[in-house]
Amino acid sequence: MVNVGVIGYGYWGPNLVRNYEQMPESNLVACCDLNPDNLKKVKALYPKVEVTQQIDDLLNNPSIDAVVIASSAATHFDLAKKALLAGKHAMVEKPLTLSSDTSRELIDIADKAGCILMVGHLLEYHSAVDYMRGLIDSGELGDIQYLYTQRLNLGQVRTDENALWSLAPHDISIIFYLLGGKEPAEVSARGQSYITEGIEDVVFCSISFKDKTMAHIHVSWLDPHKTRKLTVVGNKKMAVFDDMESSEKIRIYDKGVGVNPDYRTYGEDLTLRFGDITIPSIKMKEPLRAECEHFIQSIQTGQRPRSDGYNGLRVVKVLEAAQKSLKSGGKPVTIAEG
């Protein structure tokens, strides 16, 4: 049994509290939030859970083994650092921090403290994303040529971070998870602030990898459609993951471009292949439950979690480069190694 404390009961915190309170492998001891009204909600739903406005009450509680941080992104570094220095395992919502330097510092602190550091890259624990990873690893799609994602909605506008930092961490983490160890080379991004001056609510971001694979990300708070879609194009087949579909979340297209063996006619050496569309049956599980269970299991076994600190650092490095590109009008920015 792992004793857990949650920091932050605003937008996402209630979902985390629910899962850690319900899981048999964890014991939710306390919840911290600066808003007393939020703490009243916690107490009404979970009378046995301690509530506090003081973070030190969690960090100084010797019975708490792990801290889950669901506060604003700007607070992630300071809170995670305090938790790790207090000897607590830490799960931090995305993004890990707002800079690669502070992300590296958290990794170093966690390693020295012998603590688990995990980032809440939720969609890496999605059953459909796992299925897509299996398609790629099996070679069914062939060599991956490019991917593109769309994460669009009308609303949920933020003023403390732009759409890039708010939405794109999901897609960047999925792209890295699906492509395995492929290393990104450079990033370019363009966006615009239509609602709040200086806060880009629409962003188009492109990532180039060293092996010529490309990935394109479109995020927006200003769109008529609520879209959560990923398309993967291989040289054998193509696949689409549509998270807005209730049941048929993945479609595999047996489509592609081949070379015509008859080269006698100029311009007719390419052939298009139109095959079947397959809709696999996937046993779905709540991604957040899978993510929370993975955190607890990592603590119990001492194994490095899937979305560990290095995973979070890779995402932050791309976000940093994309932000720099945004401010320079879309100029490509090289991603530093290490």
Side-chain angles (χ1 to χ4, degrees):
M1 181 73 72
V2 177
N3 291 329
V4 177
V6 174
I7 299 175
Y9 196 77
Y11 171 67
W12 194 241
N15 298 309
L16 289 161
V17 166
R18 170 178 56 83
N19 273 279
Y20 282 108
E21 198 277 334
Q22 292 177 352
M23 286 164 43
E25 302 87 356
S26 68
N27 175 38
L28 182 63
V29 175
C31 181
C32 175
D33 195 283
L34 295 177
N35 187 335
D37 290 334
N38 287 344
L39 297 181
K40 289 178 182 177
K41 295 175 184 177
V42 175
K43 206 64 180 175
L45 291 171
Y46 314 103
K48 295 182 180 180
V49 175
E50 299 173 18
V51 297
T52 179
Q53 292 179 276
Q54 303 299 321
I55 293 168
D56 287 344
D57 289 344
L58 270 67
L59 303 185
N60 295 331
N61 186 335
S63 72
I64 292 180
D65 306 304
V67 171
V68 178
I69 299 170
S71 52
S72 63
T75 67
H76 286 181
F77 171 67
D78 288 338
L79 294 179
K81 181 177 180 178
K82 288 180 180 179
L84 293 168
L85 289 174
K88 312 295 186 185
H89 304 287
M91 174 179 162
V92 186
E93 273 306 316
K94 58 80 185 169
L96 175 57
T97 69
L98 297 181
S99 76
S100 55
D101 288 341
T102 51
S103 291
R104 288 191 187 93
E105 185 174 345
L106 288 185
I107 293 170
D108 290 341
I109 293 172
D111 287 344
K112 291 177 182 177
C115 292
I116 295 294
L117 173 62
M118 177 169 154
V119 190
H121 289 157
L122 176 67
L123 293 177
E124 290 188 36
Y125 301 90
H126 197 297
S127 302
V129 174
D130 270 336
Y131 192 93
M132 291 282 273
R133 172 68 182 261
L135 288 175
I136 294 172
D137 290 347
S138 70
E140 183 172 348
L141 304 184
D143 295 330
I144 303 305
Q145 296 173 325
Y146 71 94
L147 311 83
Y148 64 93
T149 67
Q150 299 160 290
R151 191 165 300 278
L152 320 172
N153 200 7
L154 182 63
Q156 193 56 42
V157 178
R158 296 178 181 271
T159 57
D160 57 339
E161 60 183 358
N162 61 18
L164 173 73
W165 284 87
S166 178
L167 300 177
H170 288 302
D171 301 298
I172 297 169
S173 65
I174 292 174
I175 289 166
F176 280 146
Y177 178 57
L178 294 180
L179 295 183
K182 290 188 178 184
E183 288 295 325
E186 68 176 22
V187 177
S188 60
R190 295 185 69 90
Q192 193 53 263
S193 308
Y194 294 110
I195 302 172
T196 304
E197 183 66 29
I199 306 293
E200 291 87 358
D201 38 69
V202 180
V203 177
F204 297 87
C205 175
S206 295
I207 307 171
S208 298
F209 289 80
K210 293 180 180 179
D211 68 344
K212 294 178 63 176
T213 302
M214 295 192 306
H216 186 73
I217 297 168
H218 176 198
V219 291
S220 175
W221 291 316
L222 191 60
D223 197 275
H225 308 288
K226 183 172 183 179
T227 305
R228 303 284 185 269
K229 188 176 288 188
L230 161 72
T231 301
V232 180
V233 176
N235 66 348
K236 291 182 180 179
K237 294 182 181 180
M238 308 171 185
V240 176
F241 162 42
D242 188 346
D243 204 17
M244 297 310 298
E245 287 284 346
S246 58
S247 57
E248 299 175 352
K249 289 188 176 290
I250 289 182
R251 292 174 182 253
I252 304 166
Y253 297 81
D254 188 9
K255 295 183 177 182
V257 180
V259 178
N260 192 331
D262 186 354
Y263 289 94
R264 288 175 297 178
T265 48
Y266 176 77
E268 297 180 3
D269 54 341
L270 297 179
T271 60
L272 300 180
R273 186 184 74 258
F274 297 93
D276 294 334
I277 300 174
T278 304
I279 303 175
S281 176
I282 302 173
K283 185 177 181 181
M284 299 301 299
K285 180 177 182 178
E286 182 189 2
L288 184 57
R289 174 58 64 93
E291 179 185 71
C292 294
E293 288 176 349
H294 187 73
F295 180 51
I296 297 299
Q297 290 166 3
S298 297
I299 294 172
Q300 292 173 330
T301 64
Q303 294 183 342
R304 189 178 294 275
R306 176 185 296 178
S307 54
D308 64 1
Y310 292 99
N311 179 296
L313 171 61
R314 290 184 80 195
V315 172
V316 169
K317 286 169 63 177
V318 171
L319 290 168
E320 263 187 332
Q323 184 67 35
K324 186 176 180 180
S325 179
L326 266 181
K327 297 306 178 185
S328 65
K331 181 180 178 181
V333 175
T334 300
I335 299 178
E337 297 184 4

